Amino acid sequence: MDEETVARMIERGEIEEENICFHIEQDIEIPAGCNDISSVLKDATVLSERLTILKQAHLRFSLLSKVSYNSGLDFERFYRELFDDIQAHRDIWFDKLFNVDNPKPTRAEFTTGILGTLCTILRQRGDLEGCMEVMSTYMAVLKRYQKMTEGCGREAQITCCEGLTFRADIIRINCGVQLRDKQMAVQAFRAVVAYEKKEKALGRYDLDGKAPDMDGIMEMFFGHNRYDEVADADIFQALTFMNQDRDREGPALALGQCGCCDEEETMHGDFKKCSRCHEQPYCSKKCQVKDWKVHKQLCGKKNTTNLGSECLLFITKQLVKNHTDTVEIRTGRPLTEFQKNDAKAALIKKLKEMFTGEFKHFNSPSSSSDAASDPAFCAALAEFFAKQPGYEEVWGRLCIGYKGELEKQRQMRRKTKSLSVPDERIREYCADTARSLTMQIGFLLSDGNTSDMMDLERHNRLVDELVLLVKRFVREHLQYDSHAGLIDLGSNEEFKVQMADVVGTVWDIPNPNAN
């Protein structure tokens, strides 16, 4: 039975992954005249234990990751167990399982792929120290795999080894940039583009549409792909420039949180997910049962908003917490878990109606945060909580005149010309805009001059000037004073003209309309 068939059977619930058994086959050689067979069998048992750990990790890496609701990143604990075992029994792994003369290089192949995935998990989480710890063993296994495939005559193994080496270099580029290790990043980059060029020439690169194209991306920076003519410092500067978004956004791979108690996983994939939607993780069956009244409002395709289920659930929890705090402070009595849970379930249903109805202008991740400062939205929430058991006494009184009070606050903000959008959001918007402009204008003006294209000092000055422009323009046009308004700002013709003037000043571009 092939892996694809087994994966589909698991997906349909016909097989439980815990019931999959392994068959470990070994050839045991008993030396002539050996009087201690028990010692030979003991060594075979130790080797079998190592192979079982590899099989367990590879089952998740190759088979269970093919199940539609899984990802190769969901099995960190099994990958970590393999890494720890290699560290503890390094002599057995390298002298026997990864021995250059071993006729089974697939063991090194599988281990290389698994350790590379573990490095990716740790790097994307922001654990660079842990990533580099694994990286050392990862590269050692990869080098052994490379030696095992040298002169083997099997094209499939050679191609696989080259592909795994390429993926290792991609990881090393990212680690090098994040650790500010120029030598690691640039050395890996040169190896990556050499591989990409070779594969493109053979007409077999990026067949699955998932491979990165460092060669094509960097060609946009330098105007050519003759990277042997480009200094290491310039390549590293370009790689750093491309990585600025990641530095701002933070870790790309967060540990899962229990949908009920908010407990965080120790390792990625530790918590089991809802068997219906395969999205919401839970630390225990008890928490899943307790949270069902809330989760069933989002399970599957029941989230009708443009907000992700995680975002909508976060908003719901925060709003219930804030309104609960108000009740408990004013009454001195704690609300029960049942009351808070009922309020969450009812509020998710209410928010879906609000975001797809009267308040659909807040129906996106970028604009939903503006709802908190909208008087009508806040008044609707007050009216909602005034009808919830345990909340009605306090919020029944507070919702009277609530809308008028918030409108006064908005009018006061207009008089003082203070902005609703936080400074950090404005700078983030300007940094994104400046980055795009720096790449486009720098490429057009560079004429092959790398230093002009990668002028980060000029780029940073452009960000500062755009921040001043945006603040001034938004104060004069308050309809853009929101997260959603910033997104629409780029389509305003008057703003585009003023932005062009700023760009021209920073980049010393003459104004064709000037006298």
Side-chain angles (χ1 to χ4, degrees):
M1 191 180 295
D2 62 69
E3 290 186 349
E4 192 73 31
T5 300
V6 176
R8 298 287 79 80
M9 292 177 73
I10 293 172
E11 189 166 22
R12 292 192 297 266
E14 297 170 9
I15 301 177
E16 293 289 337
E17 65 178 80
E18 291 83 0
N19 296 331
I20 297 176
C21 299
F22 299 104
H23 174 66
I24 306 294
E25 190 176 283
Q26 285 193 67
D27 294 326
I28 301 175
E29 293 184 9
I30 301 177
C34 176
N35 297 320
D36 188 7
I37 295 178
S38 62
S39 177
V40 174
L41 293 176
K42 182 180 178 181
D43 289 345
T45 300
V46 171
L47 195 63
S48 178
E49 289 171 352
R50 312 283 74 75
L51 290 171
T52 300
I53 291 172
L54 175 57
K55 286 270 189 180
Q56 286 280 10
H58 187 251
L59 169 71
R60 274 82 188 170
F61 178 74
S62 66
L63 175 59
L64 298 185
S65 61
K66 293 180 180 179
V67 177
S68 63
Y69 50 78
N70 280 337
S71 158
L73 306 181
D74 287 336
F75 307 104
E76 179 184 355
R77 186 165 295 280
F78 293 91
Y79 305 158
R80 169 62 72 170
E81 184 180 358
L82 174 61
F83 168 72
D84 289 342
D85 196 79
I86 294 173
Q87 296 293 86
H89 303 279
R90 196 175 181 89
D91 54 337
I92 297 175
W93 283 97
F94 280 87
D95 294 345
K96 296 184 177 180
L97 297 176
F98 303 150
N99 188 290
V100 175
D101 298 323
N102 193 310
K104 295 183 178 180
T106 51
R107 291 168 179 169
E109 172 197 333
F110 296 160
T111 303
T112 300
I114 292 166
L115 293 182
T117 301
L118 180 57
C119 276
T120 298
I121 291 171
L122 296 171
R123 185 188 65 78
Q124 290 190 1
R125 187 185 300 151
D127 183 4
L128 297 181
E129 183 178 348
C131 177
M132 294 311 296
E133 180 187 8
V134 176
M135 177 73 74
S136 175
T137 301
Y138 173 36
M139 297 309 296
V141 177
L142 176 60
K143 287 179 181 177
R144 184 61 59 90
Y145 179 43
Q146 290 168 341
K147 286 185 179 180
M148 295 170 79
T149 58
E150 284 178 4
C152 70
R154 285 179 283 183
E155 186 177 350
Q157 276 293 341
I158 295 171
T159 301
C160 180
C161 183
E162 290 177 347
L164 286 173
T165 303
F166 164 72
R167 295 187 185 281
D169 285 326
I170 290 289
I171 295 172
R172 291 177 67 236
I173 288 174
N174 290 320
C175 287
V177 170
Q178 289 179 274
L179 291 167
R180 304 295 186 262
D181 186 332
K182 182 177 75 173
Q183 183 178 358
M184 179 197 293
V186 174
Q187 185 182 58
F189 167 78
R190 293 191 184 281
V192 162
V193 294
Y195 174 84
E196 288 180 344
K197 287 179 179 180
K198 178 178 75 70
E199 292 296 293
K200 287 177 181 178
L202 295 171
R204 62 187 187 189
Y205 183 71
D206 199 22
L207 296 179
D208 58 2
K210 297 179 181 178
D213 186 8
M214 294 297 296
D215 175 40
I217 293 171
M218 295 299 275
E219 186 176 358
M220 292 193 301
F221 276 89
F222 301 115
H224 61 82
N225 65 353
R226 301 182 303 279
Y227 305 113
D228 55 330
E229 300 175 7
V230 182
D232 287 358
D234 291 334
I235 289 176
F236 187 68
Q237 192 174 33
L239 292 171
T240 302
F241 184 77
M242 290 165 57
N243 202 63
Q244 284 183 342
D245 280 338
R246 295 178 192 169
D247 289 344
R248 191 188 70 228
E249 293 169 3
L253 185 67
L255 289 167
Q257 280 190 326
C258 176
C260 182
C261 68
D262 293 334
E263 181 182 345
E264 191 173 73
E265 295 175 314
T266 303
M267 293 189 189
H268 196 71
D270 272 358
F271 292 167
K272 290 191 174 181
K273 296 178 181 178
C274 169
S275 60
R276 290 192 180 187
C277 65
H278 303 288
E279 292 182 1
Q280 181 60 61
Y282 291 100
C283 67
S284 65
K285 186 70 175 177
K286 181 181 177 181
C287 270
Q288 184 178 15
V289 171
K290 183 179 177 182
D291 190 55
W292 175 240
K293 183 180 286 187
V294 175
H295 179 59
K296 72 178 180 180
Q297 297 291 335
L298 299 172
C299 191
K301 297 181 180 180
K302 292 184 178 178
N303 181 9
T304 53
T305 72
N306 294 332
L307 306 171
S309 294
E310 188 177 343
C311 178
L312 187 56
L313 183 60
F314 173 80
I315 292 171
T316 300
K317 287 182 175 181
Q318 197 62 45
L319 288 173
V320 169
K321 180 184 181 302
N322 293 344
H323 287 77
T324 298
D325 289 346
T326 300
V327 171
E328 292 181 343
I329 290 171
R330 288 176 177 262
T331 64
R333 298 191 306 272
L335 290 169
T336 68
E337 289 300 316
F338 289 107
Q339 289 172 324
K340 289 186 280 188
N341 219 43
D342 286 348
K344 285 179 192 174
L347 182 57
I348 286 182
K349 186 176 181 180
K350 179 67 176 177
L351 287 174
K352 288 193 292 185
E353 295 173 359
M354 292 169 69
F355 283 125
T356 56
E358 180 182 358
F359 301 98
K360 61 184 179 182
H361 49 291
F362 296 130
N363 189 19
S364 73
S366 60
S367 59
S368 59
S369 56
D370 292 331
S373 59
D374 182 81
F377 187 87
C378 294
L381 286 177
E383 290 173 10
F384 165 81
F385 279 99
K387 299 174 184 176
Q388 302 307 305
Y391 296 82
E392 67 270 53
E393 180 185 348
V394 171
W395 282 101
R397 294 195 305 267
L398 289 177
C399 72
I400 300 173
Y402 198 76
K403 185 174 181 178
E405 182 61 31
L406 286 173
E407 186 58 39
K408 287 180 183 177
Q409 293 177 14
R410 171 164 281 194
Q411 290 175 2
M412 180 63 69
R413 191 158 51 240
R414 285 177 176 172
K415 286 181 181 178
T416 58
K417 292 194 174 183
S418 59
L419 299 179
S420 300
V421 184
D423 285 354
E424 57 269 22
R425 176 67 186 97
I426 293 176
R427 178 161 286 277
E428 181 182 311
Y429 167 82
C430 293
D432 287 339
T433 303
R435 186 169 295 107
S436 175
L437 290 168
T438 297
M439 291 178 64
Q440 294 174 35
I441 298 172
F443 177 75
L444 292 172
L445 298 181
S446 66
D447 193 26
N449 189 329
T450 304
S451 61
D452 281 349
M453 292 187 60
M454 299 308 302
D455 190 342
L456 293 183
E457 182 178 347
R458 197 190 297 257
H459 164 74
N460 292 332
R461 185 152 57 92
L462 179 59
V463 174
D464 293 337
E465 292 297 325
L466 287 177
V467 168
L468 295 175
L469 169 63
V470 169
K471 285 185 176 181
R472 184 175 66 251
F473 192 89
V474 171
R475 286 193 183 99
E476 296 169 356
H477 305 79
L478 290 173
Q479 67 268 33
Y480 295 107
D481 186 16
S482 67
H483 290 265
L486 281 182
I487 296 173
D488 295 335
L489 189 59
S491 60
N492 182 288
E493 293 300 324
E494 182 183 352
F495 176 76
K496 287 194 285 188
V497 170
Q498 294 185 26
M499 183 170 67
D501 290 340
V502 169
V503 171
T505 300
V506 172
W507 280 89
D508 299 324
I509 302 173
N511 186 343
N513 297 320
N515 292 328

